[in-house]
Amino acid sequence: MEQKIHQGRNVKRFREMLGIKQEALAFDLGNDWNQKKISLLEQKDVIEDDMLRQISNALKIPVEAFQNFDEEQAVNIIANTVTTVNDNATGQLFQINSTINTSEKWIEALEEIKKLNNEKIALYERMLKEKEEMMAKLEKLINK
């Protein structure tokens, strides 16, 4: 029995890994979006390609990550990365499976995602500071 990949759950996983709240993602997706719509979106098994592209742009994560990431498969890859072989002549040998390269690529991709998220947070903080400075200037002008 083939297990289907739950794209909405993957959106939620990556959003949470990045430390982004549903409200923030809704803001990034536009005026038609709110926290409740994001919650409903994250419950969908399959998300339309156009919507996945928008989410991909907002979170800076490849569309393929939402379409292909399967938690059970990832756990199996990690579990099978090191396999034990019992050999009478040499005892126990450890063979490193080629899937370790895949795991390393995922780690690199997640590190890049984390870096991009930190840059995004820094940008939001700068924008907020500039907004506060502009508000202070406007208050000064109004109170003159």
Side-chain angles (χ1 to χ4, degrees), residues 56-71:
S56 171
N57 290 335
L59 296 179
K60 306 289 189 265
I61 294 178
V63 171
E64 294 78 17
F66 304 117
Q67 294 171 327
N68 300 327
F69 183 77
D70 177 31
E71 186 173 339

Side-chain angles (χ1 to χ4, degrees), residues 1 9-10 24 41-43 45-46 62 109 131:
M1 180 176 169
R9 196 173 302 129
N10 287 342
L41 177 87
E42 290 176 350
Q43 295 174 28
D45 287 337
V46 178
K131 176 186 168 199

Side-chain angles (χ1 to χ4, degrees), residues 102-117:
T102 304
S103 298
E104 288 173 352
K105 288 179 184 176
W106 270 103
I107 291 169
E108 289 172 12
L110 290 174
E111 288 298 323
E112 182 65 22
I113 291 167
K114 188 175 176 182
K115 178 183 152 205
L116 290 170
N117 184 55

Side-chain angles (χ1 to χ4, degrees), residues 79-144:
N80 291 326
T81 298
V82 178
T83 57
T84 305
V85 176
N86 192 0
D87 185 72
N88 292 338
T90 59
Q92 285 190 329
L93 298 174
F94 293 99
Q95 292 184 329
I96 299 176
N97 195 319
S98 65
T99 55
I100 196 162
N101 292 333
T102 304
S103 298
E104 288 173 352
K105 288 179 184 176
W106 270 103
I107 291 169
E108 289 172 12
L110 290 174
E111 288 298 323
E112 182 65 22
I113 291 167
K114 188 175 176 182
K115 178 183 152 205
L116 290 170
N117 184 55
N118 288 336
E119 290 173 5
K120 188 176 185 179
I121 290 170
L123 175 62
Y124 280 143
E125 289 172 350
R126 283 196 311 272
M127 290 171 58
L128 185 59
K129 183 179 177 185
E130 288 177 14
K131 176 186 168 199
E132 289 171 355
E133 289 171 357
M134 286 176 39
M135 292 300 289
K137 287 178 184 178
L138 285 172
E139 286 179 14
K140 277 185 180 180
L141 287 172
I142 292 172
N143 292 331
K144 279 189 177 182

